[in-house]
Amino acid sequence: MLRMILLVAIGWIAGLSARTLLPGKGPVGFWATTAVGVGGAIIAVVIGHFAGWWHPGDAPGFILSLLGAIMLLALYRVLKTKTTA
């Protein structure tokens, strides 16, 4: 249970940091920001496993989680502009 709370807290911090570093339109709200951060952490885990940086059960680093969250925000904006245009 504590691990899930920690995941949400770190996801929120990574998502908030990504929104700060990449300002503009994006998903708004606590849960959307947290989802972007947690999604970035999941992307970091997948990249880390494929690259051989981590083994199963290892947690991703904050910087790679932040980069994953930035990638998700950029992808969101690209997809959002294509659907509204």
Side-chain angles (χ1 to χ4, degrees), residues 4-68:
M4 287 301 252
I5 293 171
L6 189 61
L7 176 70
V8 170
I10 291 174
W12 181 71
I13 292 169
L16 191 62
S17 299
R19 287 185 55 197
T20 302
L21 292 174
L22 195 66
K25 291 191 175 196
V28 181
F30 173 78
W31 292 111
T33 302
T34 303
V36 167
V38 171
I42 290 170
I43 289 173
V45 167
V46 170
I47 290 172
H49 283 291
F50 279 122
W53 298 333
W54 295 300
H55 302 292
D58 289 347
F62 179 75
I63 299 297
L64 198 54
S65 297
L66 179 61
L67 290 176

